[in-house]
Amino acid sequence: MTGVCGCCGALRPRYKRLVDNIFPEDPEDGLVKANMEKLTFYALSAPEKLDRIGAYLSERLSRDVARHRYGYVCIAMEALDQLLMACHCQSINLFVESFLKMVRKLLESDKPSLQILGTNSFVKFANIEEDTPSYHRSYDFFVSRFSEMCHSSYEDPDIRTKIRMAGIKGLQGVVRKTVNDELQANIWDPQHMDKIVPSLLFNLQSGERTESRSPSPLQASEKEKESPVELTERCFRELLGRAAYGNIKNAVTPVLMHLDNHSLWEGKTFAVRCFKIIMYSIQSQHSHLVIQQLLGHLDANSKNSATVRAGIVEVLLEAAAIAASGSVGPTVLEVFNTLLRQLRLSVDYELTGSYEGSTNIGTKIIKAHEERQLQEAVIRTIGSFANTLPTYQRSEVMLFIMGKIPVPGVHPALSSTGSGPEGTRMIQVMLLKSLVQVTAGFQTTNMLTALPSSFLEPLLSFSLTEDPEIRLLVLQILLSLIDRHDNTPKFSNISIISDISVLKLKVDKCSRQDNLFMKKHGQQLYRHIYLGCKEQSSGRQHYETLFALLGLLSVELANEEVVVDLIRLALALQDLALSPPVPAFCQHIHEVIEVRQKESPYLLPEDVFIDNPKLPSSLEKVDGGVLFLQSKITEVLGGSGYNTERLATPYVPQYTDEDRLSKRKSIGETISLQVEVESRNSPEKEERTPAEEITFETLKNAIVDSVGMEEQERERRRQVVEKFQKAPFEEIAAHCGARATLLQSKLNQIFEITIRPPPSPSGTISSGYGQTQSRSVPIYEMKFPDLCVY
């Protein structure tokens, strides 16, 4: 019987006998190395047998797995690994199919040891560069299985860590094997990236939680090699480093989705870490693609909670700091437009307390302090982006932001919708704070081109507002724009210095462009500095900033003419400080206020501007003691050197063209103006009076009678207004009809003068009734008086 078996064994194919000989009787003895060398030599000598060797090894491995003979399984995988490393021929593709089939068999097993064994073999295979391409190989199973291993929840923490690390290594192997092989399935497709990237982020996040427990130094050194965090980060960096221009979006989108699904924006720390890895790993010329995706994601979450939006903005801030100069991309203004839009929305949310038009998150409570934190984060991000731009682009951004600042009456469409004047003010403050960030460190050699009138004039106009916070922001912006040598900190300490050389100021000779700038805008700057010093609501910070501004002007932009103007300005400020109010005038005001407090409290603002003021039916019985007297004011001001002649002339407002655009208080006021114009243009005044000789007596009489004439004029106006307020409607309608008839008659006269038949050759025109008319003269032949020609 033994002889028969030996005879049958001799008839078996040689490759099978060689394969069988590598397995010892006891699997603990390991692979028989001498027989393995024979098998390897045979495979190299007869490469056409390689696929059969692989198929037979696969058959034995499957049988051993089913019989739980795991020792022989390990020997079979070791033999496969050695054959893969040794053989590089055209027939290896069929052998690889058998190899991957065996790896798949191990990965499908429930035994962690077999899963790890299969992963290690796959990683070795992934590092082999094949000489021949494969057209039909698929790695979809391995991506799914390795991703699943990355999320292992095995009970034993040590085994769980090993399984997760095996999964990470497997994904790394898949990426290495497929990323540069155009014949393989595209690993950058969303179906693969949506599995690979979240698996890596899950382990990166799990590693953060493990590290936060602060193990002892001994434990840390023991666990350092086993921790999956470093392996995960290295794999993630390798994946991103291999991403081409068209693959960045597919690689970053799963990161955004993972942070959304696990609410990781609110913590900020992990999200910032992820995008730091991304920004440092991808090629620098692709940085703007990541920033654009973050901006789009910020817009998509514009109605999410403030903490989520703040987390995205913080990530943008870090990404902009890492990005190289110019990496914001071609749409620079779109970046700032998105951030400014988020700033405006945040202000609206804070003031209105709701997300306008939202249905899915309308029940969320908007917290004002969270919105303010978001606003500050957006402002810092705007400054971070601006720091990456060259000077000319930063100037464009400054103009762009200035154009977004709402100015009541000028840019009403830009005001905050639904939040009223307070919203407009808050947006003004936020955008000016953004300008402070953008202008920080701004340096230019040509002030005229960097600070055009379209930017400087609106900026200076905000320095005259009543809001002290806005005025201070404008001053800070001016400091940043004028300071080109970092001299501002040296003016922060206001003190008397006998030798200014101790300040170590950096001073350059004033250039021609600086001289032109001061020649064009110097007087504007002086005027706004002077008016800023006069503001009663200005505080210590305002005056410190104004002091620094004057110092910077004298250092940065001062030529001989500017120095003289600055001295004149300083003297004017001194005079402004020395001009006290007139004591007698102030005393009269206090006396009237005291009398009103005792006798007529309803004439005081605190008793009038209340919900239910107690006002008399009329003010006819008001005593003269509670009124400000013109005679008394004339006396006290005249004694202080004031010219009081004009106090005797009652003030009458002069109507201008702007009044046509303003709203009238009543129809009677409008009609009175119409009647006044009509009375001036009535036919009774058409007759010309002969020229009157003007003498000294005439001028004297005109001055003496001017007061009486003004009294008569006021009385006439009062009667006209009263007539149109109290007269019946029929009388007013008849008057308006008469005006229309008068206008038509005037138009007819004008048409008769200007519209005439063309002249005849004889110089006269024969009418149909035999009458003759004089020839009309063309306009270009008319003789005009010299005073009418200029």
Side-chain angles (χ1 to χ4, degrees):
M1 198 64 188
T2 305
V4 173
C5 291
C7 180
C8 293
L11 294 176
R12 299 182 68 200
R14 186 182 179 189
Y15 72 90
K16 287 189 176 182
R17 283 185 279 126
L18 291 173
V19 170
D20 290 338
N21 292 337
I22 67 173
F23 292 93
E25 293 184 2
D26 186 359
E28 294 184 0
D29 295 339
L31 182 68
V32 180
K33 295 183 179 180
N35 294 336
M36 186 66 215
E37 291 177 359
K38 294 179 182 179
L39 177 63
T40 304
F41 179 77
Y42 176 77
L44 293 172
S45 303
E48 68 277 2
K49 300 293 185 179
L50 190 60
D51 59 329
R52 298 185 182 184
I53 295 173
Y56 183 59
L57 276 170
S58 176
E59 180 186 343
R60 286 204 55 155
L61 183 139
S62 299
R63 186 169 61 246
D64 292 335
V65 169
R67 295 176 179 177
H68 304 288
R69 300 167 66 180
Y70 300 123
Y72 287 119
V73 171
C74 295
I75 293 173
M77 291 307 301
E78 185 179 355
L80 285 168
D81 293 342
Q82 291 190 21
L83 288 173
L84 274 175
M85 299 296 292
C87 301
H88 295 278
C89 60
Q90 294 182 353
S91 303
I92 197 173
N93 279 332
L94 296 177
F95 177 74
V96 169
E97 294 301 324
S98 301
F99 168 78
L100 293 178
K101 183 179 178 181
M102 286 182 280
V103 172
R104 180 169 182 169
K105 188 75 176 177
L106 294 178
L107 293 176
E108 289 175 343
S109 172
D110 295 333
K111 295 281 290 184
S113 58
L114 295 183
Q115 296 175 14
I116 296 171
L117 178 63
T119 302
N120 293 335
S121 295
F122 182 84
V123 171
K124 294 177 183 178
F125 161 71
N127 292 326
I128 298 175
E129 294 184 6
E130 300 180 52
D131 297 335
T132 56
S134 175
Y135 296 92
H136 56 279
R137 196 179 300 162
S138 174
Y139 294 95
D140 292 356
F141 166 79
F142 297 100
V143 172
S144 301
R145 182 56 182 155
F146 289 140
S147 299
E148 184 180 349
M149 291 171 65
C150 288
H151 292 84
S152 174
S153 57
Y154 201 82
E155 294 181 358
D156 190 331
D158 292 335
I159 297 177
R160 180 171 65 242
T161 300
K162 291 179 180 179
I163 295 175
R164 289 183 179 181
M165 289 185 67
I168 296 168
K169 291 177 181 178
L171 290 177
Q172 188 178 29
V174 173
V175 171
R176 288 178 178 176
K177 198 66 181 175
T178 59
V179 72
N180 293 324
D181 192 348
E182 297 179 357
L183 299 174
Q184 302 297 336
N186 189 1
I187 199 67
W188 301 107
D189 286 344
Q191 59 176 340
H192 299 310
M193 285 290 106
D194 290 346
K195 297 175 182 177
I196 295 175
V197 174
S199 301
L200 298 177
L201 296 179
F202 173 78
N203 283 276
L204 203 62
Q205 182 187 359
S206 300
E208 273 195 346
R209 289 197 296 264
T210 304
E211 291 174 359
S212 64
R213 298 172 187 170
S214 302
S216 64
L218 180 60
Q219 291 176 334
S221 61
E222 293 176 352
K223 295 287 184 180
E224 187 175 4
K225 296 180 180 180
E226 301 176 0
S227 174
V229 178
E230 291 184 3
L231 178 63
T232 304
E233 184 172 337
R234 185 169 66 252
C235 181
F236 194 30
R237 289 182 184 276
E238 182 178 345
L239 174 69
L240 295 167
R242 295 174 181 268
Y245 180 87
N247 302 326
I248 294 293
K249 182 177 180 181
N250 289 344
V252 175
T253 300
V255 179
L256 300 174
M257 295 301 103
H258 182 83
L259 296 175
D260 285 344
N261 296 334
H262 296 274
S263 302
L264 297 174
W265 292 111
E266 299 179 1
K268 302 179 185 178
T269 306
F270 181 72
V272 168
R273 182 185 178 189
C274 288
F275 276 89
K276 278 187 175 181
I277 294 174
I278 293 173
M279 296 301 293
Y280 281 121
S281 301
I282 62 174
Q283 302 175 42
S284 60
Q285 64 268 26
H286 300 159
S287 298
H288 69 277
L289 296 176
V290 180
I291 291 173
Q292 287 177 359
Q293 277 194 268
L294 281 169
L295 289 170
H297 199 67
L298 179 60
D299 273 342
N301 287 272
S302 59
K303 292 183 180 179
N304 212 324
S305 65
T307 52
V308 171
R309 286 176 281 137
I312 302 175
V313 171
E314 288 289 344
V315 171
L316 272 168
L317 176 64
E318 296 293 336
I322 296 170
S325 178
S327 66
V328 176
T331 57
V332 176
L333 295 182
E334 187 59 32
V335 172
F336 291 92
N337 191 34
T338 300
L339 293 173
L340 294 178
R341 182 166 60 249
Q342 292 299 322
L343 200 59
R344 187 179 304 276
L345 287 173
S346 178
V347 170
D348 286 342
Y349 294 160
E350 179 183 349
L351 293 176
T352 60
S354 65
Y355 300 99
E356 184 181 356
S358 62
T359 56
N360 55 342
I361 57 173
T363 58
K364 287 190 175 182
I365 300 175
I366 295 180
K367 299 179 180 179
H369 71 278
E370 292 180 353
E371 292 293 342
R372 283 192 290 271
Q373 290 175 356
L374 168 65
Q375 293 158 15
E376 295 299 327
V378 172
I379 291 172
R380 291 196 306 272
T381 306
I382 289 174
S384 181
F385 272 107
N387 289 333
T388 66
L389 300 177
T391 301
Y392 74 95
Q393 281 189 325
R394 199 187 288 201
S395 298
E396 292 178 0
V397 172
M398 287 158 50
L399 274 172
F400 181 74
I401 297 177
M402 180 58 69
K404 293 285 185 179
I405 301 179
V407 182
V410 180
H411 302 300
L414 297 177
S415 61
S416 180
T417 57
S419 50
E422 180 60 22
T424 301
R425 179 199 167 274
M426 285 186 63
I427 291 177
Q428 289 174 343
V429 171
M430 294 300 167
L431 294 183
L432 287 173
K433 285 183 177 179
S434 302
L435 272 178
V436 171
Q437 293 289 329
V438 173
T439 56
F442 179 78
Q443 294 183 355
T444 179
T445 56
N446 193 337
M447 298 284 286
L448 272 176
T449 56
L451 302 176
S453 301
S454 56
F455 173 80
L456 198 59
E457 291 179 0
L459 177 66
L460 291 176
S461 67
F462 283 106
S463 69
L464 301 179
T465 60
E466 297 180 356
D467 194 317
E469 184 178 5
I470 291 179
R471 295 202 309 273
L472 182 60
L473 291 171
V474 172
L475 292 175
Q476 292 173 351
I477 293 170
L478 288 174
L479 283 182
S480 299
L481 294 174
I482 295 175
D483 185 13
R484 293 171 293 178
H485 297 89
D486 297 327
N487 287 321
T488 300
K490 299 167 185 177
F491 291 102
S492 59
N493 185 18
I494 303 179
S495 59
I496 304 300
I497 301 176
S498 57
D499 184 8
I500 63 170
S501 61
V502 298
L503 295 177
K504 297 181 180 179
L505 297 171
K506 299 178 183 178
V507 183
D508 289 338
K509 185 178 180 181
C510 199
S511 64
R512 179 176 177 273
Q513 290 81 5
D514 293 344
N515 292 335
L516 291 175
F517 175 80
M518 290 305 294
K519 189 172 183 180
K520 183 177 182 180
H521 300 293
Q523 296 303 321
Q524 281 182 296
L525 291 172
Y526 305 148
R527 174 175 177 267
H528 286 82
I529 291 174
Y530 180 81
L531 295 176
C533 292
K534 289 182 64 177
E535 288 291 342
Q536 297 295 327
S537 58
S538 294
R540 175 180 173 180
Q541 281 187 301
H542 294 81
Y543 290 109
E544 289 178 346
T545 312
L546 286 167
F547 171 81
L549 183 58
L550 283 171
L552 284 176
L553 285 174
S554 62
V555 171
E556 296 281 350
L557 300 170
N559 52 29
E560 294 182 1
E561 184 178 349
V562 172
V563 169
V564 173
D565 288 336
L566 289 174
I567 294 174
R568 291 174 57 214
L569 176 60
L571 292 174
L573 294 176
Q574 176 180 271
D575 294 339
L576 178 64
L578 293 175
S579 56
V582 180
F585 180 58
C586 296
Q587 183 180 358
H588 173 61
I589 294 174
H590 288 305
E591 290 175 354
V592 172
I593 292 175
E594 289 178 0
V595 175
R596 289 185 178 186
Q597 289 174 341
K598 295 178 181 178
E599 301 178 5
S600 306
Y602 54 83
L603 293 179
L604 296 173
E606 52 266 26
D607 287 344
V608 174
F609 297 103
I610 56 177
D611 293 335
N612 298 311
K614 298 180 181 179
L615 300 176
S617 57
S618 66
L619 299 177
E620 296 179 356
K621 299 181 179 180
V622 173
D623 187 16
V626 298
L627 300 178
F628 297 104
L629 302 178
Q630 174 187 336
S631 58
K632 183 68 174 179
I633 294 175
T634 302
E635 178 184 350
V636 296
L637 290 181
S640 300
Y642 282 82
N643 185 357
T644 60
E645 293 181 359
R646 297 179 60 196
L647 279 176
T649 305
Y651 173 74
V652 178
Q654 301 295 322
Y655 295 100
T656 62
D657 293 339
E658 295 178 355
D659 294 311
R660 294 198 301 268
L661 304 176
S662 62
K663 295 181 180 179
R664 302 295 180 187
K665 295 181 180 179
S666 65
I667 188 172
E669 185 178 352
T670 305
I671 296 175
S672 69
L673 292 177
Q674 295 175 351
V675 173
E676 181 182 352
V677 173
E678 178 188 326
S679 64
R680 293 179 179 177
N681 298 329
S682 60
E684 289 79 9
K685 294 191 178 183
E686 288 184 4
E687 299 180 3
R688 296 184 177 180
T689 57
E692 180 181 358
E693 183 180 1
I694 299 176
T695 61
F696 175 77
E697 292 296 330
T698 307
L699 293 174
K700 182 178 179 181
N701 294 334
I703 294 174
V704 172
D705 297 339
S706 61
V707 177
M709 293 293 291
E710 289 175 358
E711 291 290 340
Q712 295 176 6
E713 181 70 13
R714 279 204 305 275
E715 179 63 22
R716 187 186 67 80
R717 291 185 181 183
R718 189 188 64 77
Q719 293 176 358
V720 170
V721 172
E722 182 177 299
K723 173 185 175 182
F724 278 86
Q725 288 177 340
K726 298 181 180 180
F729 175 78
E730 293 79 5
E731 184 178 346
I732 297 176
H735 179 76
C736 293
R739 288 179 61 248
T741 304
L742 176 63
L743 175 62
Q744 188 62 44
S745 64
K746 293 297 182 182
L747 290 175
N748 292 337
Q749 292 178 16
I750 294 172
F751 292 150
E752 289 176 0
I753 294 173
T754 57
I755 303 175
R756 294 178 179 175
S760 63
S762 60
T764 59
I765 306 173
S766 299
S767 64
Y769 300 98
Q771 298 176 352
T772 61
Q773 298 179 359
S774 60
R775 178 172 61 90
S776 62
V777 181
I779 294 178
Y780 56 83
E781 293 183 0
M782 291 182 180
K783 302 296 183 183
F784 293 93
D786 293 340
L787 294 176
C788 296
V789 181
Y790 64 96

